[in-house]
Amino acid sequence: MATRVIPVDPFDLVVFGGTGDLARRKILPALYRRFCAGQIPKEANIIGAARSDFDEAGYRAFVRDAITELVPAILCTGDAIAAFCNRVHFIQLDAREDDGWETLAQIINPDRIRAFYFSVRPELFADLAERLYRHGMASGETRIVVEKPFGHDLASACELNATLAHHFDETQIYRIDHYLGKETVQNLMAIRFANMLFEPLWNSQYVDHIQITVAETVGIAGRAEYYDRAGAMRDMMQNHMMQLLCLIAMEPPAKFEPGAVRDEKLKVIRALDDVAPEDIVRGQYDASSDKLGYLHDVGNANSTTESFIALKTGISNWRWAGTPFYLRTGKRLKARTSEIAVVFKDAPHSIFGADAGRHANILTIVLQPNEGIELGVTIKEPGPGGMRLIDVPLDMSFAETLGPEAELVPDAYERLIMDVIRGNQTLFMRGDEVEAAWRWTDPIIAQWQEKGEKPLRYESGSPGPEDALGLMYRDGRHWREIRE
C-alpha cells in the first residue's frame, strides 16, 4: 500500500525549546521522516532556538543523535541524515531576554511560510508571542504552534487566548493535540462519514454505551512538578479524551474543512451533561513489589492529586440522549492501551434461546500501541450439537495489513506539523473549543476540592481503583479489559 506524498511549499520552522525533550523525541524525528518521504522541500530551514550553549555544529550533532536513536534504522542512512542536518540551524536566545531575537528576524525569510513551534512551558507563551510581534515576525504567513496545557482552568485559558489574540489572528494559532494526528483517530471520521454501514446506527437507538480508555503503565517520573499541579483530569481528560469524545459523538459536518469540523466538536462539548459526584472516581497509584508509589514520585506525602480518573457522562442532544459515555485514564495501570469501544445494543429478540448466550456487537478503535480497528460479530460456534453462539473479531491492524511499511506510516507529529505548514487547522483546537472544555471541567474539579477528599489508592499494575468498576456494574455493564 503506497502512501501518496504531496510536498509542501518552502518554509522556515523555528522550534523554541529546540534542545528539550519534546523536540528531541518527537518534533525533530518527525521532521526527518517527512524529509525522507520527500515532503519537505530542499529550500526549507529548520531552526532550533534555546538557551543551551550550542553552536550550529553542536546542535546538528544533537539532531543526528536523536534521529539515530528514535527513527527506524531503514531510514537512517548517512546521506539522508547529512542532507537533513544541512537544513538545520541554531540560535541561542531566551524568551525573556532580548539577545538573539534580531539575529532570528534576519535569517527568517519574510517571503515564505514561517512557523514557530512553542515547545516550552506555558508561562513563556506570552513572552514568545510578544517578542515575535515586536521584531516583525507576527504577520503575513506566520503560524504559531502551541503545546498543551492550554491553561490550568477556564480563567487562565481565557487569559492565554487573549494574550495570543493580541498579537496573532485565530487563523494563525495552532493548538496541537497529538492524539488528533493519529491515523486511527482520523480513520474514525472516515468510518463514520464514508460508510453507509455505520452512520445510520450511530445514535442512542442502536448504541448501548461508549467507553473511552487511555491507560498507561508509566508513572509520573520526570514530570512530577507539573503533574502534581495538574492531575489526570487536567492532563488527559480535559484535552485528549475530550477530543476523542467529540470525534466519536459529533454530527456530520457540512464539509471536511476546519471551520465546519470544529463547529461540530464545539456543539458536543456544550451539550455535555454535568458529572454528578457519584459518577466520578479518582485514584492515586500505590507502590507495588517493584514500583514506588505516587507520593514517593512527587515527593509530597500529603498530595491529593489524582493519577487515575473514571467518570460517566452523557450528551443532551437528539442523537445521544440516554446513551452513557464512560471515560477512564490513569498512570501505572496493568497495560498500555488507548481505545474507543462503541458497544451496540443486543438484538431485540433472540431466536436462539437462552442457552445460546447473549452477545453484543462492539466496534473498537485502537489508538495505541497497535493501531487498528476491530468489529466484533456473533457467529455460530463450529461443530455439531445445537446452536451455540460465539463472538469473533473482524479486524484491521496496521501492522498486519501494511507489513514492514507500517513503520513508515506518518506518526501524529509528522502529520500535524505538515498541516501547520499547509495552513490546515482541521485537527487543531480553536480558542472557543478550549474554553468550552474548561467550562465543563472546572465544576468537576471544584466538587472534590470543596470536599477535600483524597483519591482512592490502587496498586501499580492493576486496572485501577475497585470503585471504578461500580460506575458500570450498577448500570449492568462492565469495563473492557485493559490489555495491549
Side-chain angles (χ1 to χ4, degrees):
M1 182 184 295
T3 301
R4 188 161 62 105
V5 175
I6 302 175
V8 298
D9 293 331
F11 64 88
D12 290 338
L13 171 62
V14 179
V15 182
F16 293 114
T19 59
D21 189 56
L22 179 63
R24 189 187 74 84
R25 290 187 303 105
K26 296 295 185 181
I27 300 171
L28 293 169
L31 288 166
Y32 175 73
R33 287 170 60 111
R34 289 297 86 205
F35 178 80
C36 290
Q39 193 164 24
I40 294 180
K42 62 182 181 180
E43 301 89 351
N45 288 309
I46 297 158
I47 303 160
R51 294 183 300 174
S52 304
D53 189 16
F54 273 118
D55 58 14
E56 196 152 284
Y59 188 62
R60 287 179 175 179
F62 170 85
V63 173
R64 189 179 303 111
D65 290 344
I67 291 170
T68 304
E69 177 187 349
L70 297 165
V71 174
I74 190 174
L75 296 177
C76 291
T77 65
D79 289 346
I81 294 176
F84 177 75
C85 286
N86 284 338
R87 314 310 313 153
V88 173
H89 310 279
F90 183 76
I91 295 260
Q92 186 178 29
L93 55 73
D94 189 313
R96 290 175 171 165
E97 302 291 340
D98 291 328
D99 293 344
W101 285 94
E102 285 295 338
T103 304
L104 178 62
Q106 290 169 7
I107 66 173
I108 293 292
N109 191 326
D111 299 322
R112 62 166 60 174
I113 296 164
R114 302 179 299 280
F116 298 90
Y117 201 123
F118 290 12
S119 179
V120 296
R121 61 186 192 275
E123 52 264 35
L124 297 178
F125 291 172
D127 296 287
L128 291 174
E130 192 277 330
R131 277 169 171 73
L132 287 173
Y133 180 82
R134 188 198 308 171
H135 291 279
M137 294 180 279
S139 59
E141 288 295 324
T142 296
R143 291 138 199 194
I144 61 170
V145 184
V146 184
E147 277 281 350
K148 78 173 187 73
F150 312 113
H152 186 75
D153 52 20
L154 176 59
S156 59
C158 291
E159 182 180 356
L160 175 57
N161 281 339
T163 298
L164 296 178
H166 186 66
H167 301 301
F168 297 92
D169 187 79
E170 180 65 32
T171 60
Q172 297 177 286
I173 303 170
Y174 292 73
R175 298 171 186 83
I176 191 168
D177 184 334
H178 72 275
Y179 265 61
L180 296 186
K182 290 181 177 292
E183 193 70 32
T184 38
V185 172
Q186 293 174 77
N187 256 323
L188 173 58
M189 288 189 280
I191 289 169
R192 287 196 56 193
F193 305 134
N195 293 283
M196 191 62 183
L197 172 65
F198 291 113
E199 184 57 25
L201 308 179
W202 214 263
N203 54 61
S204 59
Q205 183 178 353
Y206 297 102
V207 175
D208 180 77
H209 71 280
I210 292 174
Q211 299 182 33
I212 304 176
T213 296
V214 178
E216 299 177 273
T217 55
V218 298
I220 49 87
R223 304 176 67 214
E225 183 180 357
Y226 158 74
Y227 197 93
D228 203 41
R229 288 184 286 109
M233 190 70 187
R234 291 185 174 98
D235 184 56
M236 290 295 296
M237 191 69 69
Q238 184 272 340
N239 40 73
H240 294 328
M241 302 195 73
M242 179 73 71
Q243 291 299 307
L244 298 180
L245 172 61
C246 287
L247 292 179
I248 203 80
M250 72 183 192
E251 294 297 317
K255 295 180 180 179
F256 187 62
E257 61 183 23
V261 171
R262 299 197 290 182
D263 284 347
E264 297 304 333
K265 288 163 58 185
L266 179 60
K267 291 176 186 177
V268 173
I269 300 173
R270 288 177 171 170
L272 279 175
D273 294 341
D274 295 336
V275 179
E278 63 271 18
D279 288 335
I280 189 165
V281 175
R282 299 168 66 234
Q284 190 181 83
Y285 65 80
D286 213 341
S288 64
S289 59
D290 60 341
K291 298 270 183 21
L292 297 171
Y294 180 89
L295 298 179
H296 178 278
D297 286 348
V298 297
N300 178 7
N302 298 314
S303 174
T304 59
T305 300
E306 76 286 351
S307 62
F308 173 97
I309 195 159
L311 61 82
K312 171 188 173 183
T313 188
I315 300 174
S316 292
N317 61 21
W318 277 37
R319 181 183 290 265
W320 294 115
T323 298
F325 288 72
Y326 300 93
L327 289 72
R328 63 174 169 171
T329 183
K331 301 283 189 183
R332 286 274 176 82
L333 299 180
K334 65 181 297 186
R336 174 178 175 262
T337 186
S338 297
E339 69 169 35
I340 303 168
V342 181
V343 182
F344 292 93
K345 292 181 177 179
D346 293 334
H349 171 68
S350 175
I351 66 173
F352 302 111
D355 291 342
R358 298 189 65 185
H359 302 264
N361 300 123
I362 302 175
L363 177 67
T364 307
I365 299 97
V366 182
L367 310 178
Q368 65 181 22
N370 302 310
E371 290 184 276
I373 300 164
E374 177 182 295
L375 175 62
V377 297
T378 301
I379 66 169
K380 175 189 176 295
E381 183 178 25
M387 180 66 73
R388 296 181 301 275
L389 304 182
I390 59 172
D391 292 332
V392 297
L394 302 176
D395 63 353
M396 188 284 288
S397 160
F398 285 171
E400 292 180 4
T401 301
L402 300 179
E405 291 185 24
E407 282 195 333
L408 304 182
V409 172
D411 75 2
Y413 278 93
E414 292 178 60
R415 181 173 293 103
L416 293 174
I417 292 173
M418 290 300 98
D419 277 355
V420 172
I421 303 304
R422 282 189 287 259
N424 186 344
Q425 291 184 305
T426 303
L427 299 175
F428 297 83
M429 285 179 280
R430 203 166 58 193
D432 54 358
E433 190 180 343
V434 171
E435 292 176 12
W438 279 118
R439 196 168 282 112
W440 178 78
T441 304
D442 275 3
I444 299 173
I445 296 174
Q447 286 178 11
W448 68 63
Q449 287 181 339
E450 289 172 5
K451 292 182 178 180
E453 295 178 349
K454 290 187 176 182
L456 302 171
R457 311 301 291 271
Y458 63 94
E459 184 179 359
S460 293
S462 72
E466 288 285 335
D467 287 38
L469 303 177
L471 279 179
M472 301 193 73
Y473 282 165
R474 67 179 184 228
D475 295 339
R477 304 182 177 99
H478 62 274
W479 289 108
R480 288 169 53 83
E481 181 184 358
I482 296 177
R483 55 185 175 83
E484 291 189 358

PDB file of all heavy atoms in Angstrom, residues 142-163:
ATOM      1  N   THR A 142       2.802  33.947   9.006  1.00  0.00           N
ATOM      2  CA  THR A 142       3.297  33.433  10.283  1.00  0.00           C
ATOM      3  C   THR A 142       2.256  32.537  10.943  1.00  0.00           C
ATOM      4  O   THR A 142       1.074  32.864  10.985  1.00  0.00           O
ATOM      5  CB  THR A 142       3.646  34.588  11.248  1.00  0.00           C
ATOM      6  OG1 THR A 142       4.716  35.345  10.687  1.00  0.00           O
ATOM      7  CG2 THR A 142       4.071  34.062  12.606  1.00  0.00           C
ATOM      8  N   ARG A 143       2.701  31.386  11.473  1.00  0.00           N
ATOM      9  CA  ARG A 143       1.839  30.483  12.246  1.00  0.00           C
ATOM     10  C   ARG A 143       2.574  30.105  13.521  1.00  0.00           C
ATOM     11  O   ARG A 143       3.787  29.893  13.496  1.00  0.00           O
ATOM     12  CB  ARG A 143       1.536  29.214  11.427  1.00  0.00           C
ATOM     13  CG  ARG A 143       0.637  29.493  10.232  1.00  0.00           C
ATOM     14  CD  ARG A 143       1.085  28.758   9.015  1.00  0.00           C
ATOM     15  NE  ARG A 143       0.510  29.362   7.814  1.00  0.00           N
ATOM     16  CZ  ARG A 143       0.507  28.792   6.632  1.00  0.00           C
ATOM     17  NH1 ARG A 143       1.046  27.582   6.484  1.00  0.00           N
ATOM     18  NH2 ARG A 143      -0.005  29.404   5.591  1.00  0.00           N
ATOM     19  N   ILE A 144       1.839  30.014  14.618  1.00  0.00           N
ATOM     20  CA  ILE A 144       2.440  29.564  15.871  1.00  0.00           C
ATOM     21  C   ILE A 144       1.765  28.269  16.312  1.00  0.00           C
ATOM     22  O   ILE A 144       0.552  28.097  16.160  1.00  0.00           O
ATOM     23  CB  ILE A 144       2.348  30.635  16.987  1.00  0.00           C
ATOM     24  CG1 ILE A 144       0.896  30.977  17.317  1.00  0.00           C
ATOM     25  CG2 ILE A 144       3.123  31.883  16.603  1.00  0.00           C
ATOM     26  CD1 ILE A 144       0.754  31.840  18.563  1.00  0.00           C
ATOM     27  N   VAL A 145       2.583  27.363  16.818  1.00  0.00           N
ATOM     28  CA  VAL A 145       2.102  26.066  17.294  1.00  0.00           C
ATOM     29  C   VAL A 145       2.241  26.057  18.809  1.00  0.00           C
ATOM     30  O   VAL A 145       3.343  26.257  19.339  1.00  0.00           O
ATOM     31  CB  VAL A 145       2.910  24.905  16.687  1.00  0.00           C
ATOM     32  CG1 VAL A 145       2.327  23.568  17.124  1.00  0.00           C
ATOM     33  CG2 VAL A 145       2.934  25.012  15.165  1.00  0.00           C
ATOM     34  N   VAL A 146       1.138  25.832  19.500  1.00  0.00           N
ATOM     35  CA  VAL A 146       1.113  25.906  20.954  1.00  0.00           C
ATOM     36  C   VAL A 146       0.833  24.522  21.527  1.00  0.00           C
ATOM     37  O   VAL A 146      -0.191  23.901  21.213  1.00  0.00           O
ATOM     38  CB  VAL A 146       0.042  26.910  21.440  1.00  0.00           C
ATOM     39  CG1 VAL A 146       0.098  27.059  22.951  1.00  0.00           C
ATOM     40  CG2 VAL A 146       0.230  28.259  20.759  1.00  0.00           C
ATOM     41  N   GLU A 147       1.734  24.029  22.358  1.00  0.00           N
ATOM     42  CA  GLU A 147       1.551  22.741  23.022  1.00  0.00           C
ATOM     43  C   GLU A 147       0.664  22.904  24.252  1.00  0.00           C
ATOM     44  O   GLU A 147       0.602  23.976  24.854  1.00  0.00           O
ATOM     45  CB  GLU A 147       2.904  22.160  23.452  1.00  0.00           C
ATOM     46  CG  GLU A 147       3.646  21.414  22.361  1.00  0.00           C
ATOM     47  CD  GLU A 147       3.115  20.001  22.140  1.00  0.00           C
ATOM     48  OE1 GLU A 147       2.304  19.522  22.957  1.00  0.00           O
ATOM     49  OE2 GLU A 147       3.528  19.382  21.142  1.00  0.00           O
ATOM     50  N   LYS A 148      -0.009  21.810  24.637  1.00  0.00           N
ATOM     51  CA  LYS A 148      -0.766  21.834  25.881  1.00  0.00           C
ATOM     52  C   LYS A 148       0.205  21.853  27.058  1.00  0.00           C
ATOM     53  O   LYS A 148       1.373  21.484  26.876  1.00  0.00           O
ATOM     54  CB  LYS A 148      -1.716  20.632  25.963  1.00  0.00           C
ATOM     55  CG  LYS A 148      -1.061  19.302  26.357  1.00  0.00           C
ATOM     56  CD  LYS A 148      -2.125  18.246  26.563  1.00  0.00           C
ATOM     57  CE  LYS A 148      -1.561  16.965  27.113  1.00  0.00           C
ATOM     58  NZ  LYS A 148      -1.163  17.006  28.506  1.00  0.00           N
ATOM     59  N   PRO A 149      -0.223  22.266  28.255  1.00  0.00           N
ATOM     60  CA  PRO A 149      -1.608  22.582  28.628  1.00  0.00           C
ATOM     61  C   PRO A 149      -2.021  23.982  28.186  1.00  0.00           C
ATOM     62  O   PRO A 149      -1.233  24.913  28.245  1.00  0.00           O
ATOM     63  CB  PRO A 149      -1.580  22.482  30.161  1.00  0.00           C
ATOM     64  CG  PRO A 149      -0.167  22.832  30.528  1.00  0.00           C
ATOM     65  CD  PRO A 149       0.689  22.300  29.429  1.00  0.00           C
ATOM     66  N   PHE A 150      -3.275  24.085  27.727  1.00  0.00           N
ATOM     67  CA  PHE A 150      -3.841  25.366  27.335  1.00  0.00           C
ATOM     68  C   PHE A 150      -4.554  25.955  28.550  1.00  0.00           C
ATOM     69  O   PHE A 150      -5.776  25.948  28.644  1.00  0.00           O
ATOM     70  CB  PHE A 150      -4.808  25.183  26.164  1.00  0.00           C
ATOM     71  CG  PHE A 150      -4.250  24.339  25.043  1.00  0.00           C
ATOM     72  CD1 PHE A 150      -4.780  23.104  24.762  1.00  0.00           C
ATOM     73  CD2 PHE A 150      -3.182  24.793  24.291  1.00  0.00           C
ATOM     74  CE1 PHE A 150      -4.267  22.320  23.741  1.00  0.00           C
ATOM     75  CE2 PHE A 150      -2.653  24.021  23.267  1.00  0.00           C
ATOM     76  CZ  PHE A 150      -3.200  22.785  22.992  1.00  0.00           C
ATOM     77  N   GLY A 151      -3.779  26.411  29.488  1.00  0.00           N
ATOM     78  CA  GLY A 151      -4.335  26.935  30.725  1.00  0.00           C
ATOM     79  C   GLY A 151      -4.441  25.869  31.803  1.00  0.00           C
ATOM     80  O   GLY A 151      -4.277  24.673  31.546  1.00  0.00           O
ATOM     81  N   HIS A 152      -4.731  26.341  33.012  1.00  0.00           N
ATOM     82  CA  HIS A 152      -4.887  25.465  34.181  1.00  0.00           C
ATOM     83  C   HIS A 152      -6.351  25.354  34.590  1.00  0.00           C
ATOM     84  O   HIS A 152      -6.738  24.445  35.300  1.00  0.00           O
ATOM     85  CB  HIS A 152      -4.054  26.028  35.339  1.00  0.00           C
ATOM     86  CG  HIS A 152      -4.011  25.157  36.545  1.00  0.00           C
ATOM     87  ND1 HIS A 152      -3.252  24.013  36.611  1.00  0.00           N
ATOM     88  CD2 HIS A 152      -4.639  25.258  37.751  1.00  0.00           C
ATOM     89  CE1 HIS A 152      -3.393  23.448  37.794  1.00  0.00           C
ATOM     90  NE2 HIS A 152      -4.231  24.186  38.497  1.00  0.00           N
ATOM     91  N   ASP A 153      -7.132  26.317  34.120  1.00  0.00           N
ATOM     92  CA  ASP A 153      -8.570  26.372  34.370  1.00  0.00           C
ATOM     93  C   ASP A 153      -9.171  27.336  33.357  1.00  0.00           C
ATOM     94  O   ASP A 153      -8.468  27.822  32.462  1.00  0.00           O
ATOM     95  CB  ASP A 153      -8.877  26.803  35.813  1.00  0.00           C
ATOM     96  CG  ASP A 153      -8.170  28.093  36.204  1.00  0.00           C
ATOM     97  OD1 ASP A 153      -7.750  28.854  35.290  1.00  0.00           O
ATOM     98  OD2 ASP A 153      -8.028  28.357  37.408  1.00  0.00           O
ATOM     99  N   LEU A 154     -10.470  27.613  33.475  1.00  0.00           N
ATOM    100  CA  LEU A 154     -11.124  28.475  32.497  1.00  0.00           C
ATOM    101  C   LEU A 154     -10.520  29.874  32.484  1.00  0.00           C
ATOM    102  O   LEU A 154     -10.251  30.428  31.413  1.00  0.00           O
ATOM    103  CB  LEU A 154     -12.626  28.555  32.790  1.00  0.00           C
ATOM    104  CG  LEU A 154     -13.433  29.496  31.890  1.00  0.00           C
ATOM    105  CD1 LEU A 154     -13.309  29.093  30.424  1.00  0.00           C
ATOM    106  CD2 LEU A 154     -14.902  29.526  32.319  1.00  0.00           C
ATOM    107  N   ALA A 155     -10.274  30.439  33.668  1.00  0.00           N
ATOM    108  CA  ALA A 155      -9.752  31.799  33.732  1.00  0.00           C
ATOM    109  C   ALA A 155      -8.392  31.910  33.051  1.00  0.00           C
ATOM    110  O   ALA A 155      -8.142  32.835  32.265  1.00  0.00           O
ATOM    111  CB  ALA A 155      -9.666  32.250  35.188  1.00  0.00           C
ATOM    112  N   SER A 156      -7.502  30.966  33.336  1.00  0.00           N
ATOM    113  CA  SER A 156      -6.163  31.038  32.741  1.00  0.00           C
ATOM    114  C   SER A 156      -6.203  30.733  31.237  1.00  0.00           C
ATOM    115  O   SER A 156      -5.412  31.283  30.472  1.00  0.00           O
ATOM    116  CB  SER A 156      -5.211  30.070  33.456  1.00  0.00           C
ATOM    117  OG  SER A 156      -5.681  28.733  33.382  1.00  0.00           O
ATOM    118  N   ALA A 157      -7.125  29.874  30.806  1.00  0.00           N
ATOM    119  CA  ALA A 157      -7.261  29.594  29.376  1.00  0.00           C
ATOM    120  C   ALA A 157      -7.747  30.832  28.632  1.00  0.00           C
ATOM    121  O   ALA A 157      -7.252  31.151  27.540  1.00  0.00           O
ATOM    122  CB  ALA A 157      -8.234  28.434  29.157  1.00  0.00           C
ATOM    123  N   CYS A 158      -8.704  31.534  29.220  1.00  0.00           N
ATOM    124  CA  CYS A 158      -9.193  32.772  28.605  1.00  0.00           C
ATOM    125  C   CYS A 158      -8.074  33.814  28.532  1.00  0.00           C
ATOM    126  O   CYS A 158      -7.928  34.524  27.526  1.00  0.00           O
ATOM    127  CB  CYS A 158     -10.371  33.331  29.393  1.00  0.00           C
ATOM    128  SG  CYS A 158     -11.882  32.340  29.280  1.00  0.00           S
ATOM    129  N   GLU A 159      -7.279  33.881  29.596  1.00  0.00           N
ATOM    130  CA  GLU A 159      -6.167  34.832  29.616  1.00  0.00           C
ATOM    131  C   GLU A 159      -5.137  34.490  28.549  1.00  0.00           C
ATOM    132  O   GLU A 159      -4.627  35.374  27.848  1.00  0.00           O
ATOM    133  CB  GLU A 159      -5.518  34.834  31.004  1.00  0.00           C
ATOM    134  CG  GLU A 159      -4.377  35.835  31.148  1.00  0.00           C
ATOM    135  CD  GLU A 159      -3.757  35.815  32.531  1.00  0.00           C
ATOM    136  OE1 GLU A 159      -4.254  35.074  33.409  1.00  0.00           O
ATOM    137  OE2 GLU A 159      -2.751  36.538  32.726  1.00  0.00           O
ATOM    138  N   LEU A 160      -4.815  33.202  28.415  1.00  0.00           N
ATOM    139  CA  LEU A 160      -3.853  32.771  27.401  1.00  0.00           C
ATOM    140  C   LEU A 160      -4.379  33.063  26.004  1.00  0.00           C
ATOM    141  O   LEU A 160      -3.648  33.589  25.148  1.00  0.00           O
ATOM    142  CB  LEU A 160      -3.560  31.281  27.554  1.00  0.00           C
ATOM    143  CG  LEU A 160      -2.659  30.639  26.491  1.00  0.00           C
ATOM    144  CD1 LEU A 160      -1.316  31.346  26.414  1.00  0.00           C
ATOM    145  CD2 LEU A 160      -2.480  29.148  26.773  1.00  0.00           C
ATOM    146  N   ASN A 161      -5.645  32.743  25.753  1.00  0.00           N
ATOM    147  CA  ASN A 161      -6.219  33.029  24.440  1.00  0.00           C
ATOM    148  C   ASN A 161      -6.183  34.520  24.128  1.00  0.00           C
ATOM    149  O   ASN A 161      -5.898  34.926  23.001  1.00  0.00           O
ATOM    150  CB  ASN A 161      -7.664  32.525  24.376  1.00  0.00           C
ATOM    151  CG  ASN A 161      -7.755  31.029  24.139  1.00  0.00           C
ATOM    152  OD1 ASN A 161      -6.818  30.416  23.644  1.00  0.00           O
ATOM    153  ND2 ASN A 161      -8.882  30.441  24.491  1.00  0.00           N
ATOM    154  N   ALA A 162      -6.480  35.345  25.124  1.00  0.00           N
ATOM    155  CA  ALA A 162      -6.466  36.794  24.915  1.00  0.00           C
ATOM    156  C   ALA A 162      -5.056  37.289  24.624  1.00  0.00           C
ATOM    157  O   ALA A 162      -4.861  38.172  23.772  1.00  0.00           O
ATOM    158  CB  ALA A 162      -7.039  37.501  26.150  1.00  0.00           C
ATOM    159  N   THR A 163      -4.068  36.724  25.314  1.00  0.00           N
ATOM    160  CA  THR A 163      -2.675  37.122  25.092  1.00  0.00           C
ATOM    161  C   THR A 163      -2.231  36.797  23.671  1.00  0.00           C
ATOM    162  O   THR A 163      -1.629  37.635  22.985  1.00  0.00           O
ATOM    163  CB  THR A 163      -1.750  36.408  26.102  1.00  0.00           C
ATOM    164  OG1 THR A 163      -2.118  36.799  27.428  1.00  0.00           O
ATOM    165  CG2 THR A 163      -0.292  36.763  25.847  1.00  0.00           C
TER     166      THR A 163
END
